[in-house]
Amino acid sequence: MSKAKYKPLSFSTTMRNPERIASFLKCIVPYEHKILTNEIIIEIILEVIRNKLYKPTYVNNVLRYKAIYANEEKSFTREQLLDIIENSEQKHKEAGFDYGWPSRFDTWYKLSKEFGFLYYKMNEPIVISSLGHMLIDAISENPLNSEKIENVFTHSLVKYSSNNPLRKTLNSNVPLVLLLKVIRNLDNDPEYAHNGIFRMEIPLFLCWPDGNDIALYEYIKNLRKNYGYSYSDEFMYDRCLQILNAGEKDKKYFKLSKICRESVDEYIRKMRMTGLLSLRGNGRFLDENKFKKEKIDYIVQNYPTEKTFENEEIYFNYIGEIDTNIVNIQTKLPENSNEIRKNTVEKFAKQYTKKQILSELLILSTGSRESKDPVFRFINAPARLEFLTSIALKQCFKDMDVNPQYPYDDEGLPTSTAGGGIADIICKELEYDELIEVTLMRGRADQVNNEIIPIARHQKEVRKSNPDTFSILIAPMIHDDTRMAAEWQKVAYGIDIYTYEISKFIGLLDDGGNNLKDLVSFKRNLVDH
């Protein structure tokens, strides 16, 4: 058995957002309390592929399977799923699991196990914690419950330990609590108050050996005094190797690109799932979200930066337990908080070119590549679509009152999508009100039931005070039935809903116009009727 040593913290990139984690958890719900065997693993894998959460290469090699996977309204039969599994060799091995699909199962669910959502071990019952069920419930609500999701990940990460029994490492700290306490230490230092953590300093957190937040604060302060904020990747990499007690031979395992870039990105994503952290300085700094001050106060006062566990079961029972204090502490917004959100849209509309924003929208439309922007890349795609659409509208119609409805942090950046009962973005200009709804959903049922029907309901309410109101639905693609449903609302109730694919909407904005009324006048040629 290999000896444990200091290692950089690295979160799995297979589960990058709460929705994906919850979707995988939902596939395992029917098998909760069953004894985990290879046969049960295969049944769970069938559910994962049936729900199109994982796409084996073999699917692309068979045209009929590729067509089914691409069509949200079609589903695989059991026989087809078994054929896919049989012809999709998984060259994969995880400790405690057989080679192939059983090891692939462990790769998918290991992060949920570490985060306390799920407990499993071969030949033992599968258990989903209260925290895991809370996450599933939050994602299943329509719209999803963003505050509940933040509470779930806050619960998990204030207890998540770098040396938990599922990891073999000498590093021993609670990464989130360590981060929050170091930020507080810097905030209490007159020289560095309100700066937060510089992005190039995050590798230190990934490699720090223990929970000594004072020592890490002093280490960072010393670096800033001697070098300012001019660290290079190579400079920080060398210091991380020193912290890890790593030699030249360890460089093939501890790669610069991983420690200074890839793991940093994933660390930021995971920490921001709690809603406790804000990005500042165009993504250059990670700081506490001042709207969450009361909750952060409670965490730094009641949770340790270091904790060890004898075995997996003790760890699971600890991390999966719900702290009602975290649930009950509410976010406190200042009186002018809505102006913070609107001002951020205006700031980004000036800071970025129209071409840059439209290019970012196109990334969401195709889903074929990732944003490289230091801010946008850390905003979950559905919320990012609302943010980018708001910015694009403000860039094209400078006198328009653009009022997005998404929840936001103290920088005015979205933390999740807009809640139910109101349009995603409300725009006003002169006599017109425009209700903008954006979605990444492509399926007929999703667009008709979750978008067109609520849009019509919202518009009926707004028309009571302003009859000159219309709505626009924007999506990567518009289903034919969605267009028909929008047209039916016009015929039956006089409700104006115009449907745009993102690419067509980009074309509309690119052509320009003076106001909302101009945008409406273009609809006959450019909307998808």
Side-chain angles (χ1 to χ4, degrees):
M1 184 178 292
S2 60
K3 186 178 178 182
K5 60 182 181 179
Y6 291 105
K7 301 175 184 176
L9 177 67
S10 178
F11 291 111
S12 169
T13 58
T14 60
M15 300 289 162
R16 283 194 166 178
N17 60 66
E19 293 86 350
R20 184 164 174 80
I21 294 172
S23 295
F24 270 82
L25 281 175
K26 286 175 75 173
C27 292
I28 215 168
V29 168
Y31 306 95
E32 187 176 9
H33 306 307
K34 292 185 181 294
I35 302 298
L36 186 66
T37 62
N38 282 343
E39 290 73 24
I40 291 295
I41 285 175
I42 292 300
E43 293 301 320
I44 294 168
I45 287 167
L46 293 177
E47 283 299 308
V48 169
I49 300 175
R50 187 197 311 278
N51 284 278
K52 302 178 181 179
L53 299 173
Y54 180 75
K55 187 180 184 181
T57 304
Y58 184 66
V59 170
N60 280 335
N61 296 338
V62 180
L63 289 179
R64 68 181 184 280
Y65 292 167
K66 186 176 181 180
I68 292 171
Y69 195 94
N71 190 328
E72 293 191 15
E73 295 176 35
K74 292 185 178 181
S75 57
F76 294 107
T77 65
R78 181 176 178 84
E79 290 72 22
Q80 289 171 332
L81 290 168
L82 289 170
D83 180 53
I84 290 169
I85 289 177
E86 185 178 345
N87 288 281
S88 302
E89 182 184 1
Q90 301 294 298
K91 297 179 180 179
H92 200 63
K93 180 69 176 77
E94 295 287 346
F97 289 83
D98 287 347
Y99 179 86
W101 281 110
S103 287
R104 178 64 62 193
F105 163 88
D106 186 46
T107 298
W108 289 341
Y109 286 100
K110 188 175 292 182
L111 186 67
S112 289
K113 191 176 183 182
E114 283 197 73
F115 279 8
F117 304 147
L118 175 69
Y119 180 83
Y120 61 87
K121 189 178 284 188
M122 291 301 295
N123 302 312
E124 292 187 18
I126 298 169
V127 180
I128 301 175
S129 68
S130 298
L131 203 57
H133 280 293
M134 186 175 172
L135 177 60
I136 294 170
D137 292 343
I139 296 294
S140 300
E141 292 182 30
N142 186 21
L144 57 80
N145 190 323
S146 59
E147 186 171 3
K148 188 183 287 186
I149 292 169
E150 287 180 354
N151 278 331
V152 167
F153 283 95
T154 298
H155 270 96
S156 176
L157 288 170
V158 296
K159 299 178 181 181
Y160 175 87
S161 181
S162 62
N163 69 330
N164 69 69
L166 299 167
R167 287 181 177 254
K168 192 173 184 180
T169 177
L170 292 178
N171 306 65
S172 179
N173 58 63
V174 180
L176 175 61
V177 182
L178 179 64
L179 172 65
L180 292 174
K181 288 191 175 183
V182 172
I183 289 174
R184 281 290 172 92
N185 294 336
L186 288 167
D187 206 34
N188 292 329
D189 187 324
E191 290 185 69
Y192 301 107
H194 313 302
N195 278 356
I197 302 300
F198 184 40
R199 178 189 169 88
M200 292 293 292
E201 294 163 350
I202 290 176
L204 300 174
F205 288 82
L206 301 177
C207 301
W208 201 248
D210 54 36
N212 191 335
D213 58 285
I214 298 297
L216 180 51
Y217 149 70
E218 290 176 345
Y219 190 100
I220 290 172
K221 184 176 178 179
N222 186 56
L223 285 181
R224 291 182 181 182
K225 279 185 175 180
N226 291 318
Y227 304 100
Y229 295 97
S230 59
Y231 328 123
S232 66
D233 283 348
E234 291 79 7
F235 173 90
M236 194 56 69
Y237 179 60
D238 286 343
R239 271 137 193 84
C240 286
L241 291 178
Q242 292 171 14
I243 291 169
L244 294 168
N245 293 324
E248 193 68 28
K249 66 180 186 301
D250 295 307
K251 287 186 176 181
K252 63 180 179 180
Y253 304 109
F254 305 151
K255 297 186 181 299
L256 182 149
S257 60
K258 184 80 170 174
I259 291 177
C260 295
R261 298 179 201 132
E262 296 166 24
S263 293
V264 169
D265 282 0
E266 205 55 37
Y267 177 90
I268 294 172
R269 286 191 185 95
K270 295 298 190 288
M271 296 300 114
R272 292 193 76 242
M273 284 181 183
T274 65
L276 302 177
L277 283 306
S278 296
L279 292 171
R280 307 205 194 284
N282 198 30
R284 294 172 64 245
F285 289 87
L286 188 64
D287 196 9
E288 70 173 63
N289 178 2
K290 305 306 181 187
F291 292 168
K292 305 281 188 177
K293 182 181 182 303
E294 188 176 344
K295 188 168 289 189
I296 295 171
D297 287 344
Y298 173 78
I299 290 168
V300 297
Q301 291 165 13
N302 291 278
Y303 282 90
T305 57
E306 190 171 351
K307 192 173 179 68
T308 57
F309 304 88
E310 292 182 12
N311 56 53
E312 291 182 19
E313 189 173 355
I314 292 174
Y315 175 70
F316 176 73
N317 290 334
Y318 169 73
I319 196 171
E321 185 180 2
I322 293 176
D323 181 342
T324 55
N325 290 302
I326 289 177
V327 175
N328 292 333
I329 297 173
Q330 300 297 310
T331 301
K332 292 186 177 179
L333 302 177
E335 290 183 6
N336 68 334
S337 61
N338 190 48
E339 290 303 310
I340 294 174
R341 178 170 54 189
K342 292 173 69 173
N343 289 342
T344 298
V345 170
E346 291 186 14
K347 181 182 79 172
F348 275 74
K350 294 175 182 176
Q351 182 177 329
Y352 287 76
T353 66
K354 188 175 174 181
K355 183 178 180 181
Q356 285 175 310
I357 296 301
L358 297 184
S359 176
E360 290 289 334
L361 279 168
L362 199 58
I363 289 173
L364 291 175
S365 175
T366 61
S368 60
R369 55 195 176 96
E370 292 185 1
S371 171
K372 301 298 182 184
D373 186 87
V375 174
F376 298 144
R377 65 186 285 109
F378 295 113
I379 300 173
N380 203 12
R384 195 193 320 162
L385 179 57
E386 294 181 15
F387 186 40
L388 291 170
T389 302
S390 300
I391 296 168
L393 286 167
K394 192 63 187 176
Q395 286 180 326
C396 293
F397 305 102
K398 299 190 185 305
D399 295 328
M400 180 190 293
D401 180 18
V402 180
N403 193 2
Q405 299 300 302
Y406 45 72
Y408 51 99
D409 61 18
D410 60 357
E411 285 285 312
L413 295 173
T415 57
S416 184
T417 54
I422 194 168
D424 293 338
I425 308 164
I426 300 173
C427 299
K428 295 179 181 291
E429 187 177 35
L430 298 176
E431 73 271 21
Y432 282 97
D433 282 356
E434 184 175 34
L435 309 179
I436 309 289
E437 296 284 349
V438 300
T439 181
L440 292 176
M441 294 188 292
R442 299 166 181 261
R444 178 190 62 81
D446 285 330
Q447 289 186 354
V448 173
N449 297 332
N450 297 335
E451 300 297 338
I452 294 296
I453 294 174
I455 288 171
R457 185 166 57 247
H458 298 160
Q459 192 179 135
K460 286 176 185 176
E461 286 299 313
V462 176
R463 281 193 168 199
K464 291 177 182 178
S465 57
N466 185 359
D468 293 321
T469 298
F470 60 92
S471 303
I472 295 178
L473 171 64
I474 303 167
M477 63 160 287
I478 299 293
H479 196 282
D480 287 342
D481 288 357
T482 306
R483 296 189 187 95
M484 292 174 62
E487 290 169 357
W488 183 83
Q489 289 289 340
K490 174 66 173 176
V491 172
Y493 303 109
I495 298 294
D496 292 317
I497 304 174
Y498 307 111
T499 57
Y500 290 80
E501 292 186 351
I502 292 176
S503 59
K504 295 287 183 69
F505 183 69
I506 290 172
L508 174 65
L509 295 181
D510 213 21
D511 287 343
N514 295 321
N515 50 46
L516 279 171
K517 195 170 184 179
D518 285 346
L519 189 149
V520 177
S521 71
F522 290 143
K523 71 181 186 299
R524 296 189 185 278
N525 294 323
L526 294 172
V527 301
D528 297 321
H529 278 298

PDB file of all heavy atoms in Angstrom, residues 231-255:
ATOM      1  N   TYR A 231       2.838  37.852  -9.274  1.00  0.00           N
ATOM      2  CA  TYR A 231       3.306  36.469  -9.326  1.00  0.00           C
ATOM      3  C   TYR A 231       3.073  35.875 -10.716  1.00  0.00           C
ATOM      4  O   TYR A 231       2.035  36.086 -11.324  1.00  0.00           O
ATOM      5  CB  TYR A 231       2.558  35.574  -8.326  1.00  0.00           C
ATOM      6  CG  TYR A 231       2.112  36.224  -7.041  1.00  0.00           C
ATOM      7  CD1 TYR A 231       0.772  36.204  -6.672  1.00  0.00           C
ATOM      8  CD2 TYR A 231       3.015  36.834  -6.179  1.00  0.00           C
ATOM      9  CE1 TYR A 231       0.341  36.773  -5.489  1.00  0.00           C
ATOM     10  CE2 TYR A 231       2.595  37.409  -4.994  1.00  0.00           C
ATOM     11  CZ  TYR A 231       1.253  37.384  -4.651  1.00  0.00           C
ATOM     12  OH  TYR A 231       0.835  37.952  -3.479  1.00  0.00           O
ATOM     13  N   SER A 232       4.022  35.090 -11.154  1.00  0.00           N
ATOM     14  CA  SER A 232       3.829  34.297 -12.373  1.00  0.00           C
ATOM     15  C   SER A 232       3.371  32.897 -11.972  1.00  0.00           C
ATOM     16  O   SER A 232       3.470  32.508 -10.801  1.00  0.00           O
ATOM     17  CB  SER A 232       5.132  34.196 -13.162  1.00  0.00           C
ATOM     18  OG  SER A 232       6.098  33.449 -12.426  1.00  0.00           O
ATOM     19  N   ASP A 233       2.886  32.123 -12.936  1.00  0.00           N
ATOM     20  CA  ASP A 233       2.514  30.733 -12.656  1.00  0.00           C
ATOM     21  C   ASP A 233       3.717  29.955 -12.125  1.00  0.00           C
ATOM     22  O   ASP A 233       3.598  29.176 -11.172  1.00  0.00           O
ATOM     23  CB  ASP A 233       1.993  30.056 -13.931  1.00  0.00           C
ATOM     24  CG  ASP A 233       0.567  30.465 -14.271  1.00  0.00           C
ATOM     25  OD1 ASP A 233      -0.089  31.090 -13.413  1.00  0.00           O
ATOM     26  OD2 ASP A 233       0.118  30.162 -15.386  1.00  0.00           O
ATOM     27  N   GLU A 234       4.875  30.174 -12.747  1.00  0.00           N
ATOM     28  CA  GLU A 234       6.077  29.439 -12.348  1.00  0.00           C
ATOM     29  C   GLU A 234       6.490  29.792 -10.915  1.00  0.00           C
ATOM     30  O   GLU A 234       6.890  28.914 -10.135  1.00  0.00           O
ATOM     31  CB  GLU A 234       7.229  29.750 -13.311  1.00  0.00           C
ATOM     32  CG  GLU A 234       7.051  29.187 -14.716  1.00  0.00           C
ATOM     33  CD  GLU A 234       6.110  30.006 -15.582  1.00  0.00           C
ATOM     34  OE1 GLU A 234       5.682  31.105 -15.145  1.00  0.00           O
ATOM     35  OE2 GLU A 234       5.794  29.557 -16.692  1.00  0.00           O
ATOM     36  N   PHE A 235       6.370  31.078 -10.580  1.00  0.00           N
ATOM     37  CA  PHE A 235       6.703  31.540  -9.232  1.00  0.00           C
ATOM     38  C   PHE A 235       5.817  30.842  -8.202  1.00  0.00           C
ATOM     39  O   PHE A 235       6.307  30.306  -7.199  1.00  0.00           O
ATOM     40  CB  PHE A 235       6.509  33.061  -9.166  1.00  0.00           C
ATOM     41  CG  PHE A 235       6.653  33.656  -7.785  1.00  0.00           C
ATOM     42  CD1 PHE A 235       7.886  34.092  -7.330  1.00  0.00           C
ATOM     43  CD2 PHE A 235       5.552  33.784  -6.947  1.00  0.00           C
ATOM     44  CE1 PHE A 235       8.019  34.646  -6.061  1.00  0.00           C
ATOM     45  CE2 PHE A 235       5.672  34.331  -5.682  1.00  0.00           C
ATOM     46  CZ  PHE A 235       6.912  34.763  -5.238  1.00  0.00           C
ATOM     47  N   MET A 236       4.504  30.837  -8.448  1.00  0.00           N
ATOM     48  CA  MET A 236       3.580  30.239  -7.489  1.00  0.00           C
ATOM     49  C   MET A 236       3.720  28.716  -7.459  1.00  0.00           C
ATOM     50  O   MET A 236       3.596  28.088  -6.399  1.00  0.00           O
ATOM     51  CB  MET A 236       2.144  30.641  -7.843  1.00  0.00           C
ATOM     52  CG  MET A 236       1.140  30.353  -6.745  1.00  0.00           C
ATOM     53  SD  MET A 236       1.566  31.136  -5.160  1.00  0.00           S
ATOM     54  CE  MET A 236       1.317  32.868  -5.539  1.00  0.00           C
ATOM     55  N   TYR A 237       3.999  28.131  -8.603  1.00  0.00           N
ATOM     56  CA  TYR A 237       4.182  26.676  -8.686  1.00  0.00           C
ATOM     57  C   TYR A 237       5.355  26.231  -7.809  1.00  0.00           C
ATOM     58  O   TYR A 237       5.254  25.243  -7.065  1.00  0.00           O
ATOM     59  CB  TYR A 237       4.421  26.290 -10.140  1.00  0.00           C
ATOM     60  CG  TYR A 237       4.651  24.819 -10.400  1.00  0.00           C
ATOM     61  CD1 TYR A 237       3.695  23.867 -10.066  1.00  0.00           C
ATOM     62  CD2 TYR A 237       5.831  24.389 -11.017  1.00  0.00           C
ATOM     63  CE1 TYR A 237       3.902  22.518 -10.336  1.00  0.00           C
ATOM     64  CE2 TYR A 237       6.044  23.050 -11.291  1.00  0.00           C
ATOM     65  CZ  TYR A 237       5.077  22.115 -10.942  1.00  0.00           C
ATOM     66  OH  TYR A 237       5.288  20.784 -11.212  1.00  0.00           O
ATOM     67  N   ASP A 238       6.464  26.972  -7.855  1.00  0.00           N
ATOM     68  CA  ASP A 238       7.632  26.626  -7.039  1.00  0.00           C
ATOM     69  C   ASP A 238       7.299  26.685  -5.551  1.00  0.00           C
ATOM     70  O   ASP A 238       7.721  25.822  -4.771  1.00  0.00           O
ATOM     71  CB  ASP A 238       8.796  27.573  -7.345  1.00  0.00           C
ATOM     72  CG  ASP A 238       9.441  27.288  -8.691  1.00  0.00           C
ATOM     73  OD1 ASP A 238       9.214  26.186  -9.231  1.00  0.00           O
ATOM     74  OD2 ASP A 238      10.164  28.170  -9.205  1.00  0.00           O
ATOM     75  N   ARG A 239       6.538  27.688  -5.147  1.00  0.00           N
ATOM     76  CA  ARG A 239       6.172  27.798  -3.735  1.00  0.00           C
ATOM     77  C   ARG A 239       5.213  26.689  -3.310  1.00  0.00           C
ATOM     78  O   ARG A 239       5.281  26.187  -2.187  1.00  0.00           O
ATOM     79  CB  ARG A 239       5.576  29.179  -3.458  1.00  0.00           C
ATOM     80  CG  ARG A 239       6.669  30.174  -3.097  1.00  0.00           C
ATOM     81  CD  ARG A 239       6.537  31.518  -3.723  1.00  0.00           C
ATOM     82  NE  ARG A 239       7.810  32.250  -3.527  1.00  0.00           N
ATOM     83  CZ  ARG A 239       8.869  32.121  -4.337  1.00  0.00           C
ATOM     84  NH1 ARG A 239       8.820  31.292  -5.361  1.00  0.00           N
ATOM     85  NH2 ARG A 239       9.980  32.799  -4.107  1.00  0.00           N
ATOM     86  N   CYS A 240       4.333  26.301  -4.212  1.00  0.00           N
ATOM     87  CA  CYS A 240       3.422  25.197  -3.902  1.00  0.00           C
ATOM     88  C   CYS A 240       4.190  23.886  -3.733  1.00  0.00           C
ATOM     89  O   CYS A 240       3.882  23.085  -2.837  1.00  0.00           O
ATOM     90  CB  CYS A 240       2.374  25.058  -5.001  1.00  0.00           C
ATOM     91  SG  CYS A 240       1.114  26.354  -4.967  1.00  0.00           S
ATOM     92  N   LEU A 241       5.188  23.663  -4.566  1.00  0.00           N
ATOM     93  CA  LEU A 241       6.006  22.453  -4.434  1.00  0.00           C
ATOM     94  C   LEU A 241       6.740  22.445  -3.096  1.00  0.00           C
ATOM     95  O   LEU A 241       6.870  21.393  -2.450  1.00  0.00           O
ATOM     96  CB  LEU A 241       7.003  22.358  -5.589  1.00  0.00           C
ATOM     97  CG  LEU A 241       6.418  22.091  -6.982  1.00  0.00           C
ATOM     98  CD1 LEU A 241       7.530  22.070  -8.027  1.00  0.00           C
ATOM     99  CD2 LEU A 241       5.637  20.784  -7.021  1.00  0.00           C
ATOM    100  N   GLN A 242       7.193  23.617  -2.662  1.00  0.00           N
ATOM    101  CA  GLN A 242       7.847  23.706  -1.354  1.00  0.00           C
ATOM    102  C   GLN A 242       6.872  23.359  -0.233  1.00  0.00           C
ATOM    103  O   GLN A 242       7.204  22.618   0.696  1.00  0.00           O
ATOM    104  CB  GLN A 242       8.401  25.117  -1.143  1.00  0.00           C
ATOM    105  CG  GLN A 242       9.563  25.488  -2.054  1.00  0.00           C
ATOM    106  CD  GLN A 242       9.935  26.962  -1.950  1.00  0.00           C
ATOM    107  OE1 GLN A 242       9.514  27.657  -1.028  1.00  0.00           O
ATOM    108  NE2 GLN A 242      10.712  27.439  -2.915  1.00  0.00           N
ATOM    109  N   ILE A 243       5.653  23.892  -0.321  1.00  0.00           N
ATOM    110  CA  ILE A 243       4.634  23.627   0.699  1.00  0.00           C
ATOM    111  C   ILE A 243       4.299  22.138   0.750  1.00  0.00           C
ATOM    112  O   ILE A 243       4.069  21.564   1.818  1.00  0.00           O
ATOM    113  CB  ILE A 243       3.365  24.459   0.413  1.00  0.00           C
ATOM    114  CG1 ILE A 243       3.649  25.947   0.640  1.00  0.00           C
ATOM    115  CG2 ILE A 243       2.191  24.011   1.287  1.00  0.00           C
ATOM    116  CD1 ILE A 243       2.555  26.870   0.143  1.00  0.00           C
ATOM    117  N   LEU A 244       4.292  21.491  -0.417  1.00  0.00           N
ATOM    118  CA  LEU A 244       3.958  20.065  -0.513  1.00  0.00           C
ATOM    119  C   LEU A 244       5.142  19.155  -0.179  1.00  0.00           C
ATOM    120  O   LEU A 244       4.993  17.928  -0.191  1.00  0.00           O
ATOM    121  CB  LEU A 244       3.469  19.744  -1.931  1.00  0.00           C
ATOM    122  CG  LEU A 244       2.149  20.388  -2.372  1.00  0.00           C
ATOM    123  CD1 LEU A 244       1.957  20.225  -3.874  1.00  0.00           C
ATOM    124  CD2 LEU A 244       0.973  19.781  -1.614  1.00  0.00           C
ATOM    125  N   ASN A 245       6.297  19.753   0.098  1.00  0.00           N
ATOM    126  CA  ASN A 245       7.527  18.972   0.300  1.00  0.00           C
ATOM    127  C   ASN A 245       7.807  18.078  -0.907  1.00  0.00           C
ATOM    128  O   ASN A 245       8.233  16.926  -0.775  1.00  0.00           O
ATOM    129  CB  ASN A 245       7.432  18.104   1.568  1.00  0.00           C
ATOM    130  CG  ASN A 245       7.380  18.939   2.831  1.00  0.00           C
ATOM    131  OD1 ASN A 245       8.025  19.984   2.917  1.00  0.00           O
ATOM    132  ND2 ASN A 245       6.601  18.490   3.808  1.00  0.00           N
ATOM    133  N   ALA A 246       7.536  18.617  -2.087  1.00  0.00           N
ATOM    134  CA  ALA A 246       7.680  17.846  -3.323  1.00  0.00           C
ATOM    135  C   ALA A 246       9.031  18.126  -3.969  1.00  0.00           C
ATOM    136  O   ALA A 246       9.524  19.258  -3.956  1.00  0.00           O
ATOM    137  CB  ALA A 246       6.553  18.195  -4.286  1.00  0.00           C
ATOM    138  N   GLY A 247       9.598  17.088  -4.555  1.00  0.00           N
ATOM    139  CA  GLY A 247      10.871  17.218  -5.241  1.00  0.00           C
ATOM    140  C   GLY A 247      10.702  17.249  -6.744  1.00  0.00           C
ATOM    141  O   GLY A 247       9.581  17.267  -7.268  1.00  0.00           O
ATOM    142  N   GLU A 248      11.814  17.212  -7.448  1.00  0.00           N
ATOM    143  CA  GLU A 248      11.802  17.278  -8.903  1.00  0.00           C
ATOM    144  C   GLU A 248      11.008  16.125  -9.509  1.00  0.00           C
ATOM    145  O   GLU A 248      10.285  16.300 -10.491  1.00  0.00           O
ATOM    146  CB  GLU A 248      13.245  17.258  -9.420  1.00  0.00           C
ATOM    147  CG  GLU A 248      13.394  17.632 -10.881  1.00  0.00           C
ATOM    148  CD  GLU A 248      13.062  19.089 -11.162  1.00  0.00           C
ATOM    149  OE1 GLU A 248      13.220  19.929 -10.251  1.00  0.00           O
ATOM    150  OE2 GLU A 248      12.633  19.375 -12.303  1.00  0.00           O
ATOM    151  N   LYS A 249      11.124  14.937  -8.906  1.00  0.00           N
ATOM    152  CA  LYS A 249      10.444  13.756  -9.457  1.00  0.00           C
ATOM    153  C   LYS A 249       8.925  13.849  -9.328  1.00  0.00           C
ATOM    154  O   LYS A 249       8.187  13.165 -10.044  1.00  0.00           O
ATOM    155  CB  LYS A 249      10.940  12.489  -8.761  1.00  0.00           C
ATOM    156  CG  LYS A 249      10.580  12.377  -7.290  1.00  0.00           C
ATOM    157  CD  LYS A 249      11.108  11.084  -6.694  1.00  0.00           C
ATOM    158  CE  LYS A 249      10.651  10.863  -5.265  1.00  0.00           C
ATOM    159  NZ  LYS A 249      11.056  11.945  -4.354  1.00  0.00           N
ATOM    160  N   ASP A 250       8.447  14.704  -8.403  1.00  0.00           N
ATOM    161  CA  ASP A 250       6.999  14.830  -8.198  1.00  0.00           C
ATOM    162  C   ASP A 250       6.332  15.713  -9.244  1.00  0.00           C
ATOM    163  O   ASP A 250       5.098  15.746  -9.336  1.00  0.00           O
ATOM    164  CB  ASP A 250       6.709  15.410  -6.806  1.00  0.00           C
ATOM    165  CG  ASP A 250       7.140  14.479  -5.690  1.00  0.00           C
ATOM    166  OD1 ASP A 250       6.717  13.309  -5.724  1.00  0.00           O
ATOM    167  OD2 ASP A 250       7.899  14.922  -4.808  1.00  0.00           O
ATOM    168  N   LYS A 251       7.125  16.422 -10.038  1.00  0.00           N
ATOM    169  CA  LYS A 251       6.548  17.349 -11.012  1.00  0.00           C
ATOM    170  C   LYS A 251       5.701  16.637 -12.068  1.00  0.00           C
ATOM    171  O   LYS A 251       4.794  17.236 -12.641  1.00  0.00           O
ATOM    172  CB  LYS A 251       7.652  18.164 -11.690  1.00  0.00           C
ATOM    173  CG  LYS A 251       8.263  19.226 -10.784  1.00  0.00           C
ATOM    174  CD  LYS A 251       9.244  20.105 -11.553  1.00  0.00           C
ATOM    175  CE  LYS A 251       9.780  21.223 -10.671  1.00  0.00           C
ATOM    176  NZ  LYS A 251      10.710  22.114 -11.401  1.00  0.00           N
ATOM    177  N   LYS A 252       6.003  15.362 -12.321  1.00  0.00           N
ATOM    178  CA  LYS A 252       5.210  14.646 -13.318  1.00  0.00           C
ATOM    179  C   LYS A 252       3.814  14.320 -12.786  1.00  0.00           C
ATOM    180  O   LYS A 252       2.896  14.032 -13.562  1.00  0.00           O
ATOM    181  CB  LYS A 252       5.926  13.373 -13.765  1.00  0.00           C
ATOM    182  CG  LYS A 252       6.142  12.329 -12.686  1.00  0.00           C
ATOM    183  CD  LYS A 252       6.868  11.121 -13.273  1.00  0.00           C
ATOM    184  CE  LYS A 252       7.128  10.053 -12.202  1.00  0.00           C
ATOM    185  NZ  LYS A 252       7.834   8.885 -12.756  1.00  0.00           N
ATOM    186  N   TYR A 253       3.641  14.361 -11.454  1.00  0.00           N
ATOM    187  CA  TYR A 253       2.321  14.147 -10.849  1.00  0.00           C
ATOM    188  C   TYR A 253       1.642  15.477 -10.522  1.00  0.00           C
ATOM    189  O   TYR A 253       0.436  15.629 -10.695  1.00  0.00           O
ATOM    190  CB  TYR A 253       2.452  13.318  -9.567  1.00  0.00           C
ATOM    191  CG  TYR A 253       3.143  11.993  -9.759  1.00  0.00           C
ATOM    192  CD1 TYR A 253       4.423  11.772  -9.257  1.00  0.00           C
ATOM    193  CD2 TYR A 253       2.518  10.957 -10.458  1.00  0.00           C
ATOM    194  CE1 TYR A 253       5.068  10.559  -9.432  1.00  0.00           C
ATOM    195  CE2 TYR A 253       3.155   9.738 -10.645  1.00  0.00           C
ATOM    196  CZ  TYR A 253       4.434   9.544 -10.125  1.00  0.00           C
ATOM    197  OH  TYR A 253       5.065   8.340 -10.313  1.00  0.00           O
ATOM    198  N   PHE A 254       2.427  16.429 -10.031  1.00  0.00           N
ATOM    199  CA  PHE A 254       1.895  17.735  -9.657  1.00  0.00           C
ATOM    200  C   PHE A 254       2.236  18.731 -10.766  1.00  0.00           C
ATOM    201  O   PHE A 254       3.238  19.433 -10.710  1.00  0.00           O
ATOM    202  CB  PHE A 254       2.492  18.206  -8.325  1.00  0.00           C
ATOM    203  CG  PHE A 254       2.324  17.244  -7.186  1.00  0.00           C
ATOM    204  CD1 PHE A 254       3.249  17.201  -6.156  1.00  0.00           C
ATOM    205  CD2 PHE A 254       1.240  16.378  -7.137  1.00  0.00           C
ATOM    206  CE1 PHE A 254       3.098  16.324  -5.094  1.00  0.00           C
ATOM    207  CE2 PHE A 254       1.082  15.490  -6.079  1.00  0.00           C
ATOM    208  CZ  PHE A 254       2.010  15.457  -5.060  1.00  0.00           C
ATOM    209  N   LYS A 255       1.402  18.778 -11.780  1.00  0.00           N
ATOM    210  CA  LYS A 255       1.702  19.591 -12.961  1.00  0.00           C
ATOM    211  C   LYS A 255       1.326  21.059 -12.740  1.00  0.00           C
ATOM    212  O   LYS A 255       0.326  21.374 -12.093  1.00  0.00           O
ATOM    213  CB  LYS A 255       0.960  19.038 -14.179  1.00  0.00           C
ATOM    214  CG  LYS A 255       1.399  17.626 -14.561  1.00  0.00           C
ATOM    215  CD  LYS A 255       0.742  17.174 -15.845  1.00  0.00           C
ATOM    216  CE  LYS A 255       1.157  15.750 -16.203  1.00  0.00           C
ATOM    217  NZ  LYS A 255       2.607  15.624 -16.426  1.00  0.00           N
TER     218      LYS A 255
END
